[in-house]
Amino acid sequence: MNLTIAYMTSRKDPKIEWFACTLAREIRDSKFSPSQIIVVDFHALQEGRKEAFKEFFYQFSIDCQVLHVPPKPTVWQGPYKRTKNEYFAASNARNTAFALCQSEFIACIDDLSALAPGWLDNVRHAMEHRYIALGAYKKVFNLSMDVDGRLSFDENPHGVDSRWPRGGNGIAHARGTDLFGCSFAMPIECALKVNGFDEICDSVSMEDVEFGARLERAGFQFQYNRNMLTYESEELHHTPGNQCFIRNDRKTKSGLHADWWILEKRVRSHETWTCGNDFNLREMREKCLAGEPLPIPTKDTDWATEQPLAEM
């Protein structure tokens, strides 16, 4: 079974070299390599950026297809946005990776991250046993590594994954709402079965918990794995150019704030399919893999308030 690893970033300096260096160590140690890497990068079209990223993969001798793309067109950010401002749109970015994934299995990882020893072997365990793996994370200070991918950092007691105490010594059963977007892996069929991340969460957040809740209702099993661990830089989240885009928790027509509406109407619902996606992800993926372009959205009003997007 082939593996795609999707790396997500909207930061000017995501430290892609950390990912490349530690992935190279994992490939050497496990004797197993992904068949495809997809870098979904808000700044992908910046002059020289693709060449610079490509050089890191070449430097660390990672020999697989590397696809470096901007997120698919969305009304919330980027060149096709209908809004005045750039908004948070993690659902759209992850659906981009799903649509371009050529493998049967996909692992997603956020930027500013380095892979702990054993990360790839634990992804492979999930592949072999066909479950949804929820990777652990720790946010640390002064993260660095040598050319062989050996890590050094200062511990951050406030940066430990909130699920960590439930992890035992390794793999532990988890719920869908335990899915955090920074590190997870699954058969691509799981994502297709529920139509991917719900883009109604774009501009708000809660996309990972909402996605996990629908996957659980669709009957899929989850395992939280401390040994599928990533380390993230705490301080680099806050440097100029690295901050997240706007999240707008406005009131909906029902009177609930948007995040509470998603919690009450989506996370706690009985639905398995998305309500905010105007596409079928399986069909979109088939078209993408056949060489067709990603679709351009056309809506021009906010789902929550019916306000024109051009005013936001």
Side-chain angles (χ1 to χ4, degrees):
M1 184 187 299
N2 292 332
L3 170 66
T4 291
I5 301 177
Y7 180 94
M8 309 289 170
T9 186
S10 60
R11 304 183 199 275
K12 291 284 184 67
D13 183 16
K15 296 298 180 186
I16 188 79
E17 61 268 33
W18 292 353
F19 168 65
C21 180
T22 53
L23 177 60
R25 181 205 64 222
E26 290 296 281
I27 292 170
R28 289 194 305 269
D29 291 350
S30 68
K31 307 296 191 297
F32 172 69
S33 178
S35 55
Q36 181 188 36
I37 295 170
I38 303 173
V39 179
V40 181
D41 176 14
F42 178 81
H43 301 286
L45 301 182
Q46 183 182 79
E47 185 176 357
R49 189 164 170 100
K50 288 187 179 182
E51 292 76 14
F53 280 31
K54 183 179 179 180
E55 181 60 29
F56 286 122
F57 292 109
Y58 175 79
Q59 176 185 339
F60 293 108
S61 302
I62 295 174
D63 184 20
C64 69
Q65 181 198 66
V66 178
L67 186 61
H68 188 167
V69 297
K72 67 182 180 66
T74 172
V75 298
W76 294 110
Q77 58 173 229
Y80 296 94
K81 72 177 186 291
R82 298 294 184 97
T83 55
K84 293 186 293 186
N85 297 300
E86 303 281 2
Y87 284 90
F88 177 83
S91 287
N92 182 70
R94 294 193 177 106
N95 284 339
T96 304
F98 291 155
L100 297 172
C101 174
Q102 296 178 358
S103 307
E104 297 176 50
F105 210 91
I106 186 167
C108 293
I109 180 172
D110 276 358
D111 53 15
L112 302 180
S113 296
L115 309 178
W119 183 89
L120 189 56
D121 274 338
N122 282 279
V123 171
R124 184 161 58 171
H125 185 273
M127 293 174 66
E128 291 169 351
H129 296 276
R130 300 195 64 80
Y131 60 84
I132 300 175
L134 310 182
Y137 74 90
K138 290 185 177 181
K139 294 183 179 180
V140 297
F141 295 111
N142 301 314
L143 179 60
S144 64
M145 63 211 64
D146 64 19
V147 294
D148 293 319
R150 289 187 290 262
L151 302 173
S152 64
F153 51 84
D154 296 327
E155 295 281 0
N156 173 15
H158 302 294
V160 179
D161 186 341
S162 60
R163 303 163 297 176
W164 190 265
R166 292 183 277 142
N169 294 319
I171 298 175
H173 179 69
R175 300 292 306 274
T177 50
D178 292 321
L179 190 152
F180 291 0
C182 60
S183 178
F184 66 91
M186 64 177 60
I188 189 66
E189 180 60 27
C190 298
L192 301 178
K193 188 76 174 287
V194 300
N195 207 36
F197 279 83
D198 199 328
E199 294 180 18
I200 202 167
C201 299
D202 285 342
S203 80
V204 184
S205 72
M206 293 192 67
E207 73 289 337
D208 45 9
V209 172
E210 196 275 345
F211 180 51
R214 285 187 291 110
L215 286 165
E216 183 175 1
R217 290 194 290 269
F220 296 112
Q221 299 298 308
F222 298 79
Q223 301 293 335
Y224 172 63
N225 191 349
R226 277 185 174 183
N227 298 317
M228 190 179 139
L229 175 65
T230 55
Y231 292 99
E232 290 183 45
S233 168
E234 175 65 66
E235 62 269 35
L236 291 185
H237 281 83
H238 312 291
T239 56
N242 272 10
Q243 298 95 337
C244 284
F245 292 128
I246 297 169
R247 305 185 194 209
N248 186 340
D249 186 24
R250 64 271 189 204
K251 273 192 175 181
T252 66
K253 300 183 294 295
S254 68
L256 290 172
H257 281 273
D259 60 347
W260 275 98
W261 188 95
I262 291 168
L263 177 65
E264 293 293 336
K265 304 297 184 182
R266 302 301 301 163
V267 176
R268 294 173 178 166
S269 79
H270 300 290
E271 301 289 334
T272 60
W273 198 254
T274 54
C275 71
N277 296 355
D278 57 359
F279 55 84
N280 180 301
L281 180 61
R282 188 184 301 276
E283 293 174 0
M284 181 190 292
R285 178 171 178 252
E286 289 172 355
K287 291 178 180 179
C288 284
L289 297 184
E292 294 188 30
L294 288 157
I296 297 173
T298 57
K299 71 176 181 180
D300 53 15
T301 57
D302 176 35
W303 68 267
T305 64
E306 296 185 351
Q307 178 183 7
L309 291 172
E311 298 176 0
M312 296 180 66

